[in-house]
Amino acid sequence: WVTALMASLVANAVSLRIFGQVPVLAMTEKLPVFPLKDYWILIVLGIFLGVLGYGYEWVVLRIGRVYQGLGKIFHLPSHFHGLLAVLFIIPHLLGGGNELILALNGLHPALTVAILYLAIRFVWSMLSFGSGFPGGIFLPILTLGALSGSVFAAAFENLGFLQVSQFPIFIILGMAGYFGAVSKAPLTAMILVTEMVGDLHQLMTIGVVTLIA
């Protein structure tokens, strides 16, 4: 335990020295405190993210069968399945995702645009993962969560339940809730997203949404 702690501290010091002390997904402005009287919205958001998280799990566990079928149709061996995942290259939308997460705050996309971004990102995340190409799913899951939170915020903003200033909060809540729903590790999701965003004021709302999701 002590060895692991020392290794983590040294790695963190090196990271801070190279990349700086600003959190990797820090929001540009100070986020407002979400009012307690509106916490019912967080319950709805948690259910929404839980359903989407279940959908992610269901698809990701079956996408391999899709590639088996496509491989037979196009006569592609398994080590060439990745070619189907790189038919479209849109780095900002289909890349790692950190730039898209940070841009959502400034873009403040309309509901239809947010849904379109989420659909495209989801399909290509599945295609990339199922192709067998090496790569992680941690940041893609956070990106899908941020887009899901944006869709929810845009919808509730149109209904008059949310203010424009609260939009960035739901990007953060989307990341934590979606990751918690998929990973089944709510405490990890809460601490991880809080650390990456660098705002402890949202810890209560993050906890509520993550546990429900």
Side-chain angles (χ1 to χ4, degrees):
W1 184 90
V2 173
T3 306
L5 176 62
M6 288 178 61
S8 300
L9 289 174
V10 173
N12 192 52
V14 173
S15 176
L16 292 175
R17 176 63 180 171
I18 295 174
F19 299 110
Q21 294 186 322
V22 178
V24 65
L25 294 178
M27 297 295 167
T28 53
E29 73 273 355
K30 186 178 180 180
L31 299 175
V33 177
F34 197 76
L36 197 61
K37 64 181 179 62
D38 292 332
Y39 265 47
W40 65 271
I41 297 177
L42 303 183
I43 297 175
V44 179
L45 175 61
I47 296 171
F48 174 70
L49 294 172
V51 171
L52 291 182
Y54 176 81
Y56 181 95
E57 291 178 353
W58 192 91
V59 176
V60 84
L61 292 175
R62 291 163 176 79
I63 191 65
R65 302 176 189 174
V66 175
Y67 267 101
Q68 290 175 5
L70 291 175
K72 292 178 181 178
I73 294 173
F74 294 104
H75 304 289
L76 281 176
S78 59
H79 52 276
F80 282 129
H81 284 177
L83 295 175
L84 300 174
V86 294
L87 292 176
F88 294 94
I89 300 177
I90 312 173
H92 186 70
L93 182 58
L94 303 179
N98 56 313
E99 292 182 1
L100 178 58
I101 293 172
L102 293 173
L104 283 174
N105 186 21
L107 288 173
H108 198 150
L111 179 59
T112 52
V113 176
I115 292 174
L116 180 63
Y117 280 7
L118 177 61
I120 294 173
R121 181 82 198 193
F122 180 84
V123 170
W124 248 261
S125 292
M126 294 298 106
L127 290 176
S128 297
F129 181 80
S131 70
F133 266 15
I137 60 171
F138 167 67
L139 191 54
I141 286 176
L142 290 185
T143 307
L144 287 171
L147 287 168
S148 300
S150 299
V151 169
F152 184 90
F156 269 61
E157 188 180 319
N158 290 345
L159 293 172
F161 293 122
L162 294 177
Q163 300 174 3
V164 177
S165 61
Q166 296 172 323
F167 188 87
I169 297 176
F170 285 81
I171 297 175
I172 298 171
L173 298 179
M175 287 191 288
Y178 197 88
F179 182 80
V182 173
S183 67
K184 302 297 186 293
L187 186 59
T188 301
M190 290 165 57
I191 295 175
L192 213 118
V193 172
T194 300
E195 181 186 26
M196 294 180 77
V197 173
D199 187 354
L200 288 171
H201 294 96
Q202 308 304 325
L203 191 56
M204 180 64 177
T205 53
I206 287 175
V208 171
V209 171
T210 306
L211 287 172
I212 291 174

